[in-house]
Amino acid sequence: MTIPELGPETSLRLSRQGGFAAVPGLARPRQIEFARCDAAQRRGICAVLERCLPVASKSVGAGDQRFYQVELHYRREDADAEMILQIPEERAPRELVQLWQDGAIASDAP
Amino acid sequence: MHTRSTFIPPYILDRIVDRGSAYQRGCARITLDHLHSLLPNPGPPHPTAIAELGEQRTPGHPQRRIHDAEQRMQLPGRQRRREGQPATGDPAVDEAYDALGATYDLFWQVFQRDSIDDLGMPLIGTVHYGQGYENAFWNGEQMVFGDGDGELFQRFTRSLDVVAHELVHGLIESEAGLVYFNQSGALNESVSDVFGVLTKQHSLGQTAAEADWLVGAELLTDKVQGVALRSMAHPGTAYDDPLLGRDPQPAHMRDFIETREDNGGVHLNSGIPNRAFYLAATALGGYAWEQAGRIWYDTICDPRLANDADFATFAGLTLTHAARMFGAPSQQVEALNQAWAGVGVEPR
Ligand SMILES: [Zn+2]
């Protein structure tokens, strides 16, 4: 599994979900349009997503454990495509949490 | 890195099968087959601490251990209070200790159940988890409680029903194993709320008519416009606040929420079976744990309850148990039929 090639039409939605107090005000979804990011920011976002892949899981949230959900909408072979990553809170990379919290991306991400 | 590490909801894969390239179709089918063959069941709790207890099992008495994460996120943290030790003076530690004891008492005194696994599993709780952490959870081995941010939420041990709710997640894992997704996930949440409030009612000696049927009433600060996190009597009315938003729980199948958020809305659609339980319990009167609680308990312990059961299947099995316990026709079966009809669920 790798992050697909993401063109300028890509959009990303990042939210925190689940938990005993799963109230609307705590999800704080963040929508990011690649068209409005510069090349360095896009590379930074992709680097964050790459770091999420090894800790992403399809069964998350059991017993009120919170998780982050990344929904990627992009174009692939002239068709709309989508990828969803779910990352348990306790395994979430710090960069992902910062992206969700502040929209912060390290501009010179490795 | 394998395809297994991501989750693509089936309806999206269906679309790729329709329109994708041959290569994509191949990939999508593999993942679809995988999804069909797999409904994730976490299985029974991993009782790492049981072996250590050995023959020290003490039926009728809990084995509690409360730890302190000291604002970090490492579990279980430093041990602060073991079974039989006096109060520490730290409200979070002592509330967790007392609440786990009250939950153990409900299950032992009413259902003769010895702890989470009915094998005397120690009750391990960690408090002061994280900084301003506004959550409580069961991680498959133990219960964990945050202190809340202080602005919206206070510490999560303040509500007895919240502590009990988390313990019941462990109990469900060792019984029905309800998959935490869509309707079976909402049932998992609902059953945890049901026995959460029953623990509180049992502890206070309240009848169904006297109880407030609120979940997490003691968590919210004065600043929040709301009475609790959930209302079993009137789902969707617990709070309406500029920061928290508005309680989104439906109270009836006509308002069932189809969503990809929150594992298919497990904390949302739980309002429907929550209200069914409230309707049944208040119709029957008396102490809710004696009749409605007994029916629900036998239902989640029934091996015939599939781990991906939907509301209708669950409702059908509650009627089976009501008829077995009280006869059919009986006032209890009638009350249950009315309760499920009242939330638009047709028992199967
Ligand atoms: Zn829960």
Side-chain angles (χ1 to χ4, degrees), chain A residues 20 63-64, chain B residues 165-166 169 180 188-189 192-193 230 267:
Chain A
F20 179 84
D64 298 319
Chain B
H165 173 112
E166 299 311 331
H169 275 310
Y180 209 71
N188 193 322
E189 271 306 311
S192 295
D193 278 348
R230 294 189 274 279
H267 293 90

Side-chain angles (χ1 to χ4, degrees), chain A residues 3-69:
Chain A
I3 296 295
E5 268 192 41
L6 300 174
E9 64 292 310
T10 301
S11 74
L12 177 152
R13 183 176 181 272
L14 170 59
S15 57
R16 192 183 64 190
Q17 305 196 9
F20 179 84
V23 305
L26 291 187
R28 295 195 278 268
R30 180 176 294 280
Q31 184 84 27
I32 298 171
E33 307 295 337
F34 270 37
R36 303 176 69 166
C37 299
D38 62 31
Q41 286 172 323
R42 285 183 209 167
R43 278 199 305 276
I45 292 169
C46 289
V48 174
L49 297 180
E50 294 284 356
R51 296 206 53 177
C52 290
L53 278 178
V55 289
S57 165
K58 82 187 135 341
S59 61
V60 292
D64 298 319
Q65 297 177 87
R66 294 194 301 208
F67 59 96
Y68 292 91
Q69 182 158 308

Side-chain angles (χ1 to χ4, degrees), chain A residues 1 13 16-20 23-25 56-58 60-66 76 82 84-85 89, chain B residues 1 5 7 12 24 133-135 137-138 165-166 169 180 189 229-230 239 243-244 260-263 267:
Chain A
M1 199 74 213
R13 183 176 181 272
R16 192 183 64 190
Q17 305 196 9
F20 179 84
V23 305
S57 165
K58 82 187 135 341
V60 292
D64 298 319
Q65 297 177 87
R66 294 194 301 208
R76 180 177 63 195
E82 180 178 55
I84 294 183
L85 296 176
E89 180 178 61
Chain B
M1 251 170 254
S5 60
F7 175 75
I12 290 158
Q24 285 166 359
Y133 190 75
E134 62 237 318
N135 192 26
F137 61 90
W138 159 261
H165 173 112
E166 299 311 331
H169 275 310
Y180 209 71
E189 271 306 311
L229 269 175
R230 294 189 274 279
Y239 57 87
L243 288 172
L244 281 190
R260 58 206 289 174
E261 309 284 297
D262 186 28
N263 276 311
H267 293 90

Side-chain angles (χ1 to χ4, degrees), chain B residues 265-302:
Chain B
V266 298
H267 293 90
L268 304 178
N269 292 314
S270 56
I272 295 167
N274 272 2
R275 178 158 160 87
F277 183 86
Y278 159 81
L279 290 174
T282 47
L284 291 169
Y287 297 119
W289 59 86
E290 287 182 342
Q291 296 187 44
R294 177 94 237 171
I295 294 166
W296 253 245
Y297 180 74
D298 282 13
T299 300
I300 58 161
C301 294
D302 187 334

